[in-house]
Amino acid sequence: MTAQALADLSRRQPGLRLLTEAGDLEHYGRDWTRRWTPAPLAVALPASIEEVQGVVQWANEHKIAIVPSGGRTGLSGGAVAAHGELVLSLSRMNRVLGFDAVDRTLTVQPGIALEAVHEAARAHGLIYPVDFAARGSCSIGGNIATNAGGIRVIRHGNTREWIAGLKVVAGNGDLLHLNRGLIKNSSGYDLRQLMIGSEGTLGIVVEATLRLTDPPPVSQVMLLALPDMDALMQVFALFRARLSLQAFEFFTDVALKHVLAHGAQRAIDGEHPYYVVTEFDAPDEGARDAAMAAFEQGMERGLISDGVIAQSDAQAAALWRLREGITESLAAHKPYKNDIAVRIGAVPAFLQDIQALLWREYPHIEVVWFGHIGDGNLHINVLKPDGLSDADFIAQCDRVTKLLADTLHRHGGSISAEHGIGLVKRAYLESTRSAAEIALMRGVKAVFDPNGILNPGKLFI
């Protein structure tokens, strides 16, 4: 029956590119989680909105599930196709469609890489400010599907703040034009915002209009070494009070060890348990003097052990590599990842609780911490020990994640900050959302995707 269905799809859309080779199915059927064996039916690579609509209409008729696919850099299993789904890859829809100088918007297709968006914005003297380490491989459509955040949320917010309009193919095949680039629009429900962060379960983004903004002032990057965890939020408060921060990122000595082993260069001598990379506006001597004053005050109060400030763009990039290179440096260790968030004000108490939890539950397992301390988003990476089977390792981590979810619930936090729920975190959704909220979310899903063909099994159990 599936062979007949694929033959019908090819007959309807003779120009649609379809892949069925084993290597292609494996490549397009997984994301960075690497926990599920990919087993898609086939991979469709549409080149137009009309082809996307045609695939969705075909899928409804044949009751075949679709997994929308972008750069597949997610960490929650949201782009995994392990049960005979059709992967709908948007990688061929990767062009800039237009620039509006008056509205200062850039209209793009969903498969365009974030880095290409940055380059297109710079060509017009503007910036698209959402940024993170996977910029070269992640896609705008995937960023929208997970409401991606990144390293500059403290200044610019998440992806949803920068989406002026969307074209979306809903689960029933309808093409929706959402918000149309308007700044003010109070004409009913904002379905654009509903689509952002919906993980491809309501519709498939086929075009996005992005807001752009002015480039930031000249900035400087500083690396700080801290003596203990208690200093983290105190240093953040100290620097935020004196400087206009663009980013404030932390990582541990364990994370540094892996990045150095992966080829980065040490910037501060000695061993320190915690580090911060911060970037701040430095348009004049006054701002630079304020930064040095904050650093000196931190040293005097025993909050900062050492530090270095970049003297060139190359040095700034080298300092940023110590933070941005962490995920890549851990990939070979098959880490079990937690991507969590609490209010900034709740971070100190939460850090104390979570550190005690991890020390107690993972006494002989290496745990790597890093994250966006300035917006309350922490990443916990548990590394699989040699000699422990994948199944036993995941079972142990799942048990601890349940405890982590309970801790997050007590602190009013979220089990997913910027990678979505996907397959990995479905069991813990209720720690973040109430039963009433989840029921309404299921109802919304049923309206946009009445046959349940879009990314089934993701988000909800």
Side-chain angles (χ1 to χ4, degrees):
M1 292 179 62
T2 54
Q4 292 175 358
L6 286 178
D8 181 47
L9 179 59
S10 296
R11 179 185 58 79
R12 294 187 188 193
Q13 299 196 61
L16 177 67
R17 187 177 176 191
L18 278 174
L19 306 178
T20 56
E21 295 293 329
D24 293 323
L25 299 183
E26 180 176 2
H27 176 72
Y28 286 95
R30 69 184 352 157
D31 63 7
W32 278 12
T33 52
R34 300 297 194 267
R35 283 174 54 180
W36 290 269
T37 301
L41 168 66
V43 181
L45 293 98
S48 68
I49 293 175
E50 292 74 20
E51 286 190 340
V52 174
Q53 280 189 282
V55 170
V56 172
Q57 291 162 358
W58 164 86
N60 274 287
E61 291 178 23
H62 288 273
K63 302 297 186 291
I64 291 176
I66 292 176
V67 174
S69 177
R72 300 180 306 285
T73 59
L75 300 171
S76 295
V80 170
H83 301 289
E85 306 96 332
L86 178 81
V87 174
L88 195 150
S89 170
L90 297 155
S91 58
R92 295 180 67 200
M93 299 175 64
N94 58 10
R95 294 183 295 115
V96 174
L97 299 176
F99 169 71
D100 191 308
V102 176
D103 288 326
R104 304 215 295 184
T105 59
L106 191 73
T107 300
V108 301
Q109 293 181 308
I112 190 170
L114 176 60
E115 190 169 52
V117 169
H118 289 165
E119 293 169 357
R122 281 196 296 268
H124 296 287
L126 298 168
I127 66 165
Y128 177 71
V130 180
D131 191 20
F132 33 83
R135 64 184 68 85
S137 51
C138 69
S139 70
I140 283 294
N143 296 172
I144 293 168
T146 57
N147 186 31
I151 59 178
R152 290 186 167 81
V153 170
I154 186 175
R155 168 67 68 85
H156 297 292
N158 294 297
T159 294
R160 71 169 66 252
E161 278 76 39
W162 298 94
I163 306 302
L166 291 175
K167 288 184 182 179
V168 175
V169 175
N172 62 4
D174 288 344
L175 179 63
L176 307 177
H177 296 236
L178 306 179
N179 198 60
R180 302 174 186 268
L182 295 171
I183 296 174
K184 290 186 174 181
N185 184 4
S186 295
S187 56
Y189 305 130
D190 192 344
L191 301 181
R192 162 197 51 156
Q193 292 294 348
L194 187 60
M195 289 292 169
I196 300 169
S198 64
E199 303 185 47
T201 63
L202 303 179
I204 301 167
V205 174
V206 291
E207 186 176 299
T209 300
L210 313 176
R211 300 194 195 282
L212 307 180
T213 191
D214 293 315
V218 174
S219 64
Q220 283 197 299
V221 177
M222 185 181 289
L223 176 68
L224 308 173
L226 309 186
D228 52 51
M229 188 176 65
D230 291 340
L232 275 172
M233 295 308 294
Q234 296 182 69
V235 172
F236 172 62
L238 176 62
F239 274 65
R240 185 170 64 168
R242 291 174 175 263
L243 303 170
S244 181
L245 297 179
Q246 294 188 27
F248 194 90
E249 303 280 304
F250 94 100
F251 54 94
T252 64
D253 54 347
V254 181
L256 178 63
K257 176 190 72 173
H258 286 280
V259 177
L260 295 177
H262 205 61
Q265 299 298 311
R266 184 182 294 275
I268 294 177
D269 292 333
E271 302 293 331
H272 306 275
Y274 295 91
Y275 297 86
V276 164
V277 174
T278 183
E279 186 167 347
F280 51 89
D281 295 351
D284 51 41
E285 287 297 327
R288 290 187 282 274
D289 290 345
M292 292 310 301
F295 173 77
E296 291 168 3
Q297 185 175 350
M299 292 281 287
E300 292 169 0
R301 292 169 55 185
L303 301 175
I304 300 173
S305 304
D306 202 351
V308 61
I309 190 166
Q311 299 298 319
S312 66
D313 289 345
Q315 289 182 8
L319 295 183
W320 266 116
R321 183 181 177 187
L322 298 176
R323 162 62 183 86
E324 292 196 311
I326 296 172
T327 296
E328 183 178 349
S329 74
L330 300 178
H333 299 276
K334 296 184 178 179
Y336 182 105
K337 294 175 175 287
N338 293 116
D339 160 40
I340 58 179
V342 293
R343 293 179 298 104
I344 298 173
V347 167
F350 176 74
L351 283 175
Q352 294 291 342
D353 283 357
I354 202 61
Q355 185 178 58
L357 171 67
L358 296 176
W359 280 352
R360 183 182 73 243
E361 300 297 332
Y362 293 123
H364 306 298
I365 295 180
E366 192 170 51
V367 180
V368 180
W369 291 38
F370 65 95
H372 321 288
I373 201 74
D375 58 42
N377 178 196
L378 310 176
H379 297 282
I380 300 169
N381 296 258
V382 186
L383 307 190
K384 189 180 84 67
D386 294 336
L388 188 63
S389 72
D390 288 352
D392 289 343
F393 174 64
I394 291 172
Q396 181 173 350
C397 292
D398 283 347
R399 179 184 60 80
V400 178
T401 297
K402 178 62 171 67
L403 301 175
L404 173 62
D406 293 341
T407 304
L408 282 163
H409 183 72
R410 292 198 306 272
H411 289 273
S414 171
I415 194 66
S416 178
E418 58 182 357
H419 283 280
I421 294 295
L423 292 170
V424 174
K425 302 170 187 175
R426 298 179 303 171
Y428 316 110
L429 181 62
E430 62 185 15
S431 71
T432 299
R433 301 288 194 174
S434 69
E437 285 181 290
I438 294 172
L440 287 171
M441 290 163 66
R442 289 183 184 277
V444 170
K445 165 75 169 171
V447 170
F448 281 92
D449 183 22
N451 291 319
I453 65 161
L454 288 185
N455 233 2
K458 316 296 170 54
L459 189 58
F460 309 113
I461 293 178

